[in-house]
Amino acid sequence: MQMPEPSADVLSRKARIVERLRAALPDNAVIEDDIELKAYECDGLAAYRCPPMCAVLPGSTEEVSAVMRICHEEGVPVVPRGSGTSLAGGALPTADSVLLGVARLTGVLETDYDNRFIRVQAGRTNLSVTGAVEQDGFFYAPDPSSQLACAIAGNIAMNSGGAHCLKYGVTTNNLMGVKMVMADGEVVEIGGPYLDAGGLDLLGLITGSEGQLGIVTEATLRILAKPEGARPVLVAFDSPEVAGQCVSDIIKSGIVPVAIEYMDRLTIQASEAHVGVGYPDCEALLIIEVEGSEAEIADQLGRITAIARTHDPVEIRESASAAESEKIWLGRKTAFGAMGRINDYMCLDGTIPVNELPFVLKRIGELGDDYGLQVGNVFHAGDGNMHPLILYDANKPGDLEKCEALGADILKLCVEVGGCLTGEHGVGVEKREIMTAQYTADDLEIQMQVKDVFDPDWGLNPAKVFPLEASAGRRS
Amino acid sequence: MKITTETELAEAIGGAGGPVRVQGGGTRDIGRPVVGEVLEVAISGVQLYEPGALTLVARAGTPLAEIEALLAEQGQRLAFEPMDHRVLLGTGGRPTIGGAVAANVSGPRRIQAGAARDFTLGARFVDGAGRVIKNGGRVMKNVTGYDLVKLMAGSWGTLGVLSEVSLKVQARPETEATLVARGKDAAEGVAALAAALGSPWDITGAAHLEAGVSGGDSETRVRIEGLGASVDYRAEALQKEICAGWDIVRGDDSAALWREVRDVAPLADARVVWRVSVKPSAGPVVGAALAAAGLGHKVLYDWGGGLMWIAPDDRGGEDGGAALIRQQIAAHGGHATLVKAPAELRARVDVFQPESGALAAITRGLKQKFDPKGILNPGLMG
């Protein structure tokens, strides 16, 4: 993977830039020590590393603004970082960049149950947003797997989803307003605790823009009343295709489960070896969760199991207690970690129309065979957001490259059947070069023109999202 | 000029010598009056419908009625419940899906399900330079590049002209019911709606019609939808906890109540109607402040109080209440759009909420990039 050459001019001015940042920020908010900078050299896509020129940890919108003003004047690229959990290299620094972390912006600014919103600083973790309101019976719906660690700022950058967005939508459907610092340091407010935009939907544009249009420092988020209860059912099948068909039939039936999760034999086996929750011996399983009162749950699960039975399942396991529900979910929630025990893996994020699941699952298996690599599938089936896990050996020369080539083929397959390259992880550096599989030159040009408006100098997270060659002229 | 293919659309815009006025079904005469050649987008037809994936792809000029009928055959619907503007505006024509998306038209279910912008998964459009652009796709989760679909939704044809949209659709629920209270003032009504919306019972409509808006008494309405037994259960729970003594209206009668709210039918006779989006609890405060300032008006509150349809009476004065209403927006946040007014009034006041400073500059910048010749509905949004 290629990154642009760092600017020798910027690097030659490092001392002055750091000095200006130190003058604008509190004592401990600027990091330039080589050892300390190691913490910021990569995100969740750990195969690629590069320490930034320096890192800053501002504690307020005003301090973020001061940093941006200085970097703008000095012509220094800024790489924003939430909690660094990106799986796409969204927070990967360049050697000539100032890495701007929002980890110190964690406060709750306003909680309003009558109007059903919470306003938080953007470095607050996803789970702790719910943590701030759950004692009063509310929650924040988007729940990415990394929710214990990931920051709202990163959720906005990548338009994060999670298992429960089948019912509640992703970040863009739950974000009401932001305070954002522009590339030149100007502070703007977009949206607020009311619905929709009075002019152009700039909030929708910013969400999912991977930190390339501004630095979000505060967010107004929609919170919802917690349902009375929730319960999963586990259904096991002897073929992945049939499991895929069952998903489509449930969706079509009109029942709206909050989550439909899928695991195949490889990930089931890995999970069993890891936590041993007693999943059935089968080719594929679905975990389907519904919400409501006891009677509503029973009604919905009855309808779901009736549909499942038409697909001749190996087993249907309804949870009868909170402990059983927890066991059903435990294997799924720890599946990624379990796969890591087998080998190194690369996690894809292609999304497809739900009715294409049977075909795509079959084709992924064939592609894996062609490359001689194993692929595990564990993903959010209800909304077609696949997470193929390609196993490879990082110590074996050539294996990573082979894995990346297979990954690209799988993502192109997702696009071919009407889907997209990334559902919730973002493009980052990882999928930058295959954007052309989904978009024409004009499609990409107009997106880059949007960045021109927000960030004319292309100083914000510049080497991401767009193919390097396509953005070269603008970055130089 | 009547356009029936995307290629024609690209040629017409690419070759346009001056401003064009973009028209879909011609039902939404909203915004600053635009002077320009009429470009009638009649690119019609459903391209793909996958009930099992809850997705539908249609050309932008496809009549909404055609899409709704097709969805109904499979027990599905558009969740965002788009308003039929013909009722309020007294216009003719046929609403199209492209028009609904371009105007981000959403009905009462907005509070629970989302807006048109939330259900538009992808779009193809022609920008002001005549380039054909696609963005998004037909899947519910997609963060592949910038989300220009959101930007197109609610841009009223000023950034590009939609040629195709892909939508997420929703299963039609088994049944619905509405709880109705009468005689509450706006503050009491909106407080009751807030309590219902803060309950676990999944409210899909929350409206308050002031006294004199629909009949004599005020009406406060709360809608629930879903499987039959579940609707019964939640109606009972609401009556027990929040809506004691409220009537229950079921099935088609319930649906009729929400069509009325969706189309703002009770204000159809008004000469001037504003659409105001505020923090829900601020709704009654704004209503009272306008009355205190001497602006006589009727208000239909939707979205739990957060969407105000305000019809000023003749005392609205020269500007149709613009100055007073925008003063309230300045104090409480939100935005106000002059949805219905004679053309000469719409030419004189800001129809859309004016932006200031950096946001205005961004809007100008985006318009310049998407429509460098300044020919797409120039001036419509201000």
Side-chain angles (χ1 to χ4, degrees):
Chain A
M1 204 263 315
Q2 207 194 335
M3 284 302 270
E5 276 298 306
S7 156
D9 171 48
V10 168
L11 290 173
S12 74
R13 287 180 284 120
K14 176 179 173 179
R16 187 177 81 183
I17 293 162
V18 169
E19 190 188 331
R20 286 192 68 187
L21 291 169
R22 282 201 191 284
L25 296 175
D27 277 350
N28 56 4
V30 181
I31 298 163
E32 60 163 334
D33 176 79
D34 286 347
I35 306 285
E36 286 181 73
L37 282 178
K38 283 267 175 202
Y40 302 98
E41 69 179 5
C42 71
D43 55 22
L45 186 70
Y48 302 107
R49 293 158 195 264
C50 172
M53 181 170 71
C54 72
V56 294
L57 300 172
S60 67
T61 300
E62 293 69 29
E63 288 177 16
V64 173
S65 171
V67 169
M68 294 309 290
R69 193 149 288 158
I70 292 166
C71 291
H72 178 67
E73 285 165 8
E74 297 284 349
V76 190
V78 174
V79 174
R81 178 183 169 105
S83 296
T85 58
S86 171
L87 295 169
L92 176 69
T94 49
D96 57 359
S97 68
V98 170
L99 182 128
L100 193 162
V102 292
R104 288 185 182 165
L105 298 169
T106 59
V108 172
L109 304 172
E110 188 180 2
T111 308
D112 185 335
Y113 295 122
D114 277 345
N115 294 299
R116 299 164 300 284
F117 73 87
I118 183 170
R119 193 158 56 87
V120 299
Q121 290 186 307
R124 192 171 182 86
T125 61
N126 174 292
L127 194 60
S128 70
V129 172
T130 289
V133 294
E134 66 184 344
Q135 74 280 2
D136 296 302
F138 284 80
F139 72 108
Y140 174 60
D143 61 339
S145 303
S146 56
Q147 67 180 155
L148 187 63
C150 65
I152 292 297
N155 289 181
I156 294 170
M158 296 309 193
N159 192 16
S160 302
H164 290 74
C165 55
L166 180 55
K167 179 168 181 188
Y168 296 112
V170 295
T171 300
T172 194
N173 313 113
N174 291 278
L175 176 70
M176 304 176 77
V178 295
K179 185 179 271 189
M180 184 172 91
V181 181
M182 304 286 292
D184 63 0
E186 176 145 14
V187 179
V188 296
E189 289 192 45
I190 302 173
Y194 49 85
L195 293 174
D196 299 337
L200 298 179
D201 187 357
L202 301 180
L203 193 61
L205 182 62
I206 283 161
T207 312
S209 64
E210 308 208 7
Q212 291 198 309
L213 304 183
I215 310 273
V216 172
T217 58
E218 288 179 22
T220 303
L221 305 167
R222 181 170 84 128
I223 52 173
L224 300 169
K226 257 196 297 202
E228 291 177 76
R231 201 157 74 220
V233 58
L234 183 156
V235 189
F237 299 91
D238 57 14
S239 117
E241 290 86 8
V242 175
Q245 190 55 50
C246 184
V247 172
S248 193
D249 286 355
I250 292 170
I251 298 285
K252 195 178 164 184
S253 76
I255 306 162
V256 187
V258 279
I260 305 181
E261 297 291 300
Y262 174 102
M263 292 174 73
D264 69 2
R265 176 175 283 283
L266 184 61
T267 53
I268 294 168
Q269 283 172 344
S271 158
E272 278 303 295
H274 185 43
V275 288
V277 292
Y279 280 159
D281 179 21
C282 61
E283 292 304 318
L285 65 79
L286 299 175
I287 298 169
I288 305 155
E289 181 155 279
V290 298
E291 288 179 345
S293 65
E294 260 313 303
E296 290 174 297
I297 287 171
D299 184 12
Q300 294 176 79
L301 288 182
R303 292 167 194 247
I304 286 167
T305 51
I307 293 168
R309 281 202 183 86
T310 65
H311 293 282
D312 203 15
V314 177
E315 188 182 333
I316 295 180
R317 194 180 290 179
E318 271 192 62
S319 161
S321 66
E324 280 183 35
S325 298
E326 204 172 304
K327 256 175 91 173
I328 288 178
W329 272 112
L330 183 64
R332 164 65 183 92
K333 287 186 174 167
T334 55
F336 283 59
M339 289 295 282
R341 286 164 49 122
I342 306 180
N343 217 332
D344 302 300
Y345 67 76
M346 177 171 147
C347 173
L348 304 179
D349 179 42
T351 302
I352 59 164
V354 178
N355 57 307
E356 297 288 352
L357 275 173
F359 169 73
V360 172
L361 286 169
K362 182 160 158 282
R363 189 72 194 113
I364 287 176
E366 291 166 1
L367 285 169
D369 291 345
D370 291 351
Y371 278 88
L373 292 173
Q374 275 192 301
V375 184
N377 285 292
V378 47
F379 60 92
H380 315 305
D383 45 33
N385 187 192
M386 308 193 73
H387 290 314
L389 303 176
I390 307 174
L391 294 173
Y392 72 101
D393 183 350
N395 295 319
K396 194 168 145 192
D399 234 28
L400 173 62
E401 290 71 21
K402 202 159 82 168
C403 165
E404 287 181 330
L406 170 57
D409 277 357
I410 291 175
L411 293 182
K412 285 172 190 162
L413 168 68
C414 292
V415 173
E416 274 165 31
V417 300
C420 65
L421 298 172
T422 171
E424 58 183 359
H425 295 172
V427 177
V429 294
E430 189 201 24
K431 292 172 281 281
R432 192 183 63 193
E433 302 303 328
I434 53 170
M435 283 289 273
T436 47
Q438 189 169 335
Y439 289 123
T440 65
D442 276 351
D443 296 340
L444 291 172
E445 173 63 21
I446 200 161
Q447 294 181 39
M448 290 191 286
Q449 287 181 324
V450 168
K451 184 164 168 65
D452 292 342
V453 172
F454 284 82
D455 177 20
D457 301 335
W458 276 61
L460 264 170
N461 223 9
K464 315 283 169 69
V465 183
F466 304 103
L468 272 193
E469 200 185 312
S471 66
R474 290 174 151 94
R475 285 183 287 102
S476 63
Chain B
M1 197 190 313
K2 188 164 176 169
I3 303 291
T4 56
T5 66
E6 187 182 75
T7 310
E8 279 174 27
L9 181 64
E11 283 166 3
I13 294 174
V20 295
R21 187 154 73 85
V22 185
Q23 185 177 299
T27 66
R28 301 178 224 275
D29 183 15
I30 296 172
R32 280 260 176 83
V34 172
V35 179
E37 187 185 356
V38 173
L39 198 67
E40 187 189 347
V41 183
I43 313 171
S44 183
V46 171
Q47 305 284 96
L48 176 147
Y49 175 33
E50 286 289 354
L54 298 180
T55 48
L56 179 138
V57 180
R59 291 182 175 129
T62 310
L64 263 178
E66 186 182 323
I67 288 173
E68 280 166 347
L70 187 68
L71 292 174
E73 279 173 26
Q74 297 290 328
Q76 298 186 337
R77 66 179 179 186
L78 296 174
F80 55 95
E81 213 175 359
M83 169 180 186
D84 183 345
H85 276 90
R86 288 176 296 187
V87 178
L88 179 66
L89 302 180
T91 44
R94 285 205 300 178
T96 61
I97 188 62
V101 171
N104 189 29
V105 180
S106 317
R109 205 174 291 109
R110 166 70 183 97
I111 43 164
Q112 184 255 4
R117 54 92 87 177
D118 296 296
F119 286 87
T120 310
L121 305 174
R124 294 177 64 88
F125 61 94
V126 176
D127 74 1
R131 289 182 295 187
V132 176
I133 308 288
K134 74 167 180 307
N135 191 262
R138 56 184 172 96
V139 290
M140 292 159 210
K141 282 159 106 176
N142 188 345
V143 60
T144 318
Y146 296 167
D147 191 347
L148 304 185
V149 179
K150 298 280 183 302
L151 194 57
M152 293 304 293
S155 65
W156 295 83
T158 62
L159 297 181
V161 181
L162 291 168
S163 55
E164 184 183 285
V165 291
S166 46
L167 303 164
K168 178 187 176 186
V169 302
Q170 186 185 55
R172 188 175 287 277
E174 212 167 80
T175 189
E176 68 170 87
T178 301
L179 291 117
V180 182
R182 291 185 184 79
K184 291 183 185 299
D185 67 24
E188 293 165 349
V190 167
L193 296 178
L197 288 165
S199 79
W201 298 308
D202 210 14
I203 309 302
T204 69
H208 176 81
L209 290 69
E210 280 189 333
V213 169
S214 179
D217 273 351
S218 74
E219 277 196 25
T220 311
R221 301 174 182 172
V222 168
R223 177 173 65 184
I224 40 183
E225 299 173 288
L227 302 175
S230 165
V231 168
D232 289 344
Y233 165 79
R234 285 181 283 147
E236 200 175 307
L238 279 163
Q239 280 189 314
K240 200 165 142 203
E241 301 287 337
I242 295 160
C243 305
W246 295 32
D247 294 338
I248 297 190
V249 180
R250 292 176 190 280
D252 290 345
D253 294 335
S254 166
L257 291 179
W258 292 99
R259 257 196 316 279
E260 184 189 29
V261 173
R262 182 195 76 181
D263 295 340
V264 201
L267 302 182
D269 291 337
R271 192 175 138 268
V272 173
V273 178
W274 288 84
R275 180 181 183 274
V276 175
S277 180
V278 289
K279 187 165 81 175
S281 63
V285 180
V286 169
L290 290 175
L295 185 70
H297 60 273
K298 287 181 184 171
V299 185
L300 189 162
Y301 296 89
D302 196 359
W303 299 357
L307 179 66
M308 304 173 73
W309 292 97
I310 304 177
D313 65 16
D314 292 340
R315 288 169 290 163
E318 285 285 294
D319 70 348
L324 287 171
I325 288 171
R326 293 244 157 83
Q327 247 171 37
Q328 291 300 312
I329 296 296
H332 295 279
H335 51 88
T337 308
L338 177 58
V339 168
K340 182 181 185 183
E344 66 78 23
L345 179 57
R346 284 185 279 136
R348 281 192 284 122
V349 305
D350 286 314
V351 171
F352 289 84
Q353 184 67 29
E355 285 170 331
S356 56
L359 291 185
I362 292 170
T363 295
R364 271 198 309 276
L366 290 170
K367 281 190 174 158
Q368 208 276 326
K369 297 288 185 191
F370 280 71
D371 179 18
K373 294 187 282 180
I375 57 168
L376 297 179
N377 280 344
L380 185 143
M381 292 185 82

